[in-house]
Amino acid sequence: MNNKLKLGINIDHVATIRNARGGLHPDPIKAALIAQSAGADNITAHLREDRRHISDIDIKKLVKKLKIPLNLEMSPTNEMLKIAINTKVKRVCLVPEKRKELTTEGGLNVLKNKKRISYIIKKLKNYNIKVSLFVDPCIKQITACKELKVFSVELHTGEFCENKRNKKKEFLQIKKCAEFTKKNNLECHAGHGLKYDDVKEIAKINEISELNIGHFIIGEAVFFGLKNSIIKMKKIIENSRKRNFYLKSA
Ligand code: PXP
């Protein structure tokens, strides 16, 4: 089996940098369009209840401007349900959310919150929105996802990425869960905390058809783009010393 492994780019942290100054730069929509032109298969954005990075307007603009699918990450609340329906997104990934967490800590507890999650899924499906559930690599959780008849499951890879001592055990657990997901006719996605070295391993699991990566890629973009940004600024400074428009017309 050698099926394509798709790559979704999470642009949340472009918005984190923008929001640090409260302005418009850097624009996550521009980042999404660059990702699209670089070959990304989808764009992922998490509209958090506290709006710490991506905003409601960002979501509207992304829906309007992207040619590739937008994968809206959201918690299973009525507020988010309304936004997903009103903005006409085609894909939603339900994730757990705690106000004080720095990032999504662990997957959804589908077993414990089946009634609420099932309600949200039914409503989303009425609008032909494909639903994915972000869960820990745990067979019982995936079984619960299957019972809720979702389109896909996204396995939380955070434990694998962070675990330095027992990486093999975490890897085998993800592999087992990916096989189980596929066997149950659900698409299997994976993401969280993935870096180059982690991807080298996770990409070997053929049952996984999509990876969603954000923080590391945005971090790497700083290093890849820093030199060019400084060179461009230096050029502007040098050229501006040669031609001083404001002083000439004063
Ligand atoms: N997938 C899901 C469901 C997530 O919640 C996140 C983080 O927002 C990611 C993937 C991307 O994680 P990271 O930013 O660590 O690459």
Side-chain angles (χ1 to χ4, degrees), residues 29-45:
I29 316 306
K30 186 173 172 185
L33 294 173
I34 291 172
Q36 178 175 269
S37 69
D41 296 290
N42 77 64
I43 298 298
T44 293

Side-chain angles (χ1 to χ4, degrees), residues 94-113:
L94 295 177
V95 299
E97 213 173 287
K98 290 184 215 139
R99 284 266 161 133
K100 287 189 178 152
E101 68 188 357
L102 290 176
T103 181
T104 316
E105 292 166 358
L108 268 179
N109 192 337
V110 185
L111 286 165
K112 201 173 155 200
N113 303 292

Side-chain angles (χ1 to χ4, degrees), residues 10 12-13 44 46 73 93 95 103-104 134 154 190-194 212-216:
N10 181 316
D12 292 348
H13 296 297
T44 293
H46 184 175
E73 281 181 13
C93 179
V95 299
T103 181
T104 316
F134 185 50
E154 179 166 336
H192 208 280
L194 291 169
N212 285 304
I213 309 181
H215 188 267
F216 178 75

Side-chain angles (χ1 to χ4, degrees), residues 106-112 133-146 153-157 159 169-181 184 186 188-189:
L108 268 179
N109 192 337
V110 185
L111 286 165
K112 201 173 155 200
L133 299 179
F134 185 50
V135 294
D136 289 330
C138 160
I139 297 289
K140 280 187 185 162
Q141 292 291 348
I142 301 165
T143 304
C145 295
K146 180 184 159 57
V153 158
E154 179 166 336
L155 299 176
H156 195 306
T157 50
E159 210 37 52
K169 183 175 153 239
E170 294 297 336
F171 175 80
L172 292 175
Q173 182 63 18
I174 292 171
K175 186 168 159 46
K176 184 171 109 182
C177 287
E179 285 164 0
F180 184 75
T181 302
N184 282 286
L186 302 176
C188 184
H189 305 163

